[in-house]
Amino acid sequence: MFHLKMGWMLWLGSCLLLGCRPESDIKVLRLAHTLDTTHPVHAALVFMAKELETRSAGRMRIKIYPGSQLGSERETIELLQLGAVDLVKTSTSPLEGFIPGMGIFGIPYVFRGSEHFWKVLEGEIGQELLSAGVHQKLKGLCYYDAGSRSFYTKEKAVRSPEDLKGLKIRVQNSRTSMQMIDSMGGAATPLSFGELYSALDQGVVDGAENNPPSLLSSRHYEVCKFYSLDEHTMVPDVVLIGTETWDRLTQEQRQWLQEAADVSVPFQRDLWAAKTKETMTALEKAGVEIIYPDKSLFQKAVASLHAGFEGTEAGRWMQRVLELP
Ligand code: GCU
């Protein structure tokens, strides 16, 4: 009896909070991403989903499919274009194939630091890029911090570009990432994130590159014991909505969703900063050697790469980024 009463009270409570409506009145948006549920970006997406539910008084929800359940980033972007999912969280790297301007983030050492990076993302350039994909049925809602990417390797530490010679380094599905590794002397091997653990384990590749929370949450550190902080690129994450879904939403629904995305950004950035610090300690505890190489060596190795982008779409954006004070 007591349980029945409690159950009824809980039901009433949630009705008051969320409104009592049949399931069919609730708009559920499906969101796909490739990261583990322990990753801070996943936590930000959960936060965004809660915000949306609150703002819409339970009329809108987000169902998250993490950990590459629905495929690689490239595959989920294609699902988004087909309208088979509504939202995707992806790195900007595989987006280059759909929105060439996104290639700007794959060019090494373009940003002068985190302040410059966020000035770009929050300013005209970043906002233009969020809407640059609408003809490809892809609309950006917000960016998330994904820190800086650095090399991690299995057998040999990377202290200078020389050490990359002869190493197969996994890269994202992105042309600029491949060009970067090639110009540093390594052999770029594109693979999806979901395939990477076994590729490292089985020696298909000798190393990869990523930010600290991704190295930890993917457990790649179990195989790669050298992490060399050359911080070659700052590649943000982005939350995209398919324009077919967006067009079907009412003005009010769009506003709730955009607001939920917007408030998740400062939440994610704070969490990212805290998690990155914790992660470095956890990696060291797990026996990963952290190397602080001379970055200028890596910068020199890619100097001609910058010049090579002149006249390209990514090069045009690069110029604007470099000129931004
Ligand atoms: C980062 C990024 C992911 C991406 C991964 C990768 O972790 O946040 O979205 O999948 O890099 O290297 O593929």
Side-chain angles (χ1 to χ4, degrees):
M1 188 60 193
F2 174 74
H3 287 295
L4 270 180
K5 235 189 202 166
M6 272 299 283
W8 187 82
M9 275 162 68
L10 278 175
W11 178 79
L12 184 68
S14 58
C15 279
L16 290 173
L17 266 178
L18 302 174
C20 288
R21 58 192 87 257
E23 283 291 313
S24 57
D25 282 0
I26 300 171
K27 177 103 197 135
V28 181
L29 302 176
R30 291 146 306 165
L31 184 154
H33 75 84
T34 53
L35 297 168
D36 189 75
T37 50
T38 56
H39 196 285
V41 165
H42 178 79
L45 294 167
V46 170
F47 180 87
M48 175 178 155
K50 283 197 186 125
E51 283 291 325
L52 180 63
E53 202 160 326
T54 310
R55 275 157 209 274
S56 67
R59 279 171 279 187
M60 287 181 86
R61 287 194 192 151
I62 296 177
K63 170 138 182 55
I64 305 176
Y65 297 87
S68 306
Q69 274 174 45
L70 300 185
S72 67
E73 291 194 326
R74 194 185 164 87
E75 285 161 349
T76 56
I77 296 166
E78 285 168 357
L79 289 178
L80 197 59
Q81 289 182 308
L82 294 170
V85 290
D86 304 296
L87 297 157
V88 161
K89 193 299 296 168
T90 175
S91 161
T92 56
S93 288
L95 267 181
E96 271 176 53
F98 303 83
I99 308 168
M102 289 288 183
I104 173 65
F105 301 109
I107 306 177
Y109 303 113
V110 178
F111 297 100
R112 293 188 294 275
S114 157
E115 205 183 309
H116 181 214
F117 176 70
W118 282 101
K119 206 167 163 191
V120 168
L121 292 186
E122 286 169 346
E124 273 174 26
I125 303 176
Q127 300 313 302
E128 277 175 46
L129 282 172
L130 283 183
S131 42
V134 286
H135 300 299
Q136 295 282 342
K137 301 190 173 181
L138 306 169
K139 177 181 161 55
L141 290 178
C142 66
Y143 294 105
Y144 284 155
D145 203 343
S148 305
R149 298 179 73 98
S150 295
F151 293 110
Y152 51 86
T153 40
K154 232 179 128 168
E155 307 288 349
K156 176 175 144 193
V158 175
R159 297 177 200 279
S160 78
E162 286 291 301
D163 295 319
L164 287 166
K165 294 234 155 72
L167 294 192
K168 279 192 249 116
I169 302 293
R170 175 270 176 172
V171 289
Q172 292 173 279
N173 200 330
S174 124
R175 233 181 111 216
T176 49
S177 313
M178 294 186 66
Q179 287 169 308
M180 174 187 72
I181 302 296
D182 291 340
S183 66
M184 285 185 183
T189 312
L191 276 177
S192 75
F193 195 56
E195 293 170 312
L196 185 50
Y197 188 99
S198 57
L200 286 164
D201 198 30
Q202 290 161 19
V204 176
V205 288
D206 305 299
E209 43 89 58
N210 218 320
N211 54 54
S214 301
L215 172 55
L216 186 74
S217 64
S218 61
R219 295 182 296 111
H220 295 166
Y221 68 87
E222 291 173 355
V223 186
C224 294
K225 295 294 184 193
F226 301 102
Y227 193 25
S228 178
L229 299 180
D230 70 308
E231 302 187 318
H232 44 257
T233 46
M234 297 183 82
V235 181
D237 274 358
V238 61
V239 180
L240 299 169
I241 184 163
T243 53
E244 280 184 23
T245 301
W246 181 257
D247 291 344
R248 275 200 304 271
L249 298 181
T250 64
Q251 206 49 45
E252 196 181 34
Q253 290 174 324
R254 288 180 195 168
Q255 195 180 328
W256 289 329
L257 181 61
Q258 186 62 64
E259 282 173 6
D262 290 346
V263 294
S264 71
V265 173
F267 171 86
Q268 191 269 344
R269 283 179 64 183
D270 287 348
L271 188 64
W272 184 267
K275 285 285 171 194
T276 302
K277 269 198 195 145
E278 274 176 45
T279 297
M280 296 312 290
T281 316
L283 288 173
E284 275 184 305
K285 265 203 191 138
V288 176
E289 186 187 340
I290 314 285
I291 295 134
Y292 296 88
D294 177 356
K295 283 192 206 173
S296 69
L297 300 173
F298 295 85
Q299 281 162 343
K300 262 189 228 141
V302 297
S304 60
L305 192 67
H306 280 209
F309 280 110
E310 269 170 36
T312 67
E313 177 74 2
R316 253 186 349 101
W317 292 92
M318 178 177 81
Q319 212 43 47
R320 286 180 65 186
V321 167
L322 291 175
E323 281 165 11
L324 194 79

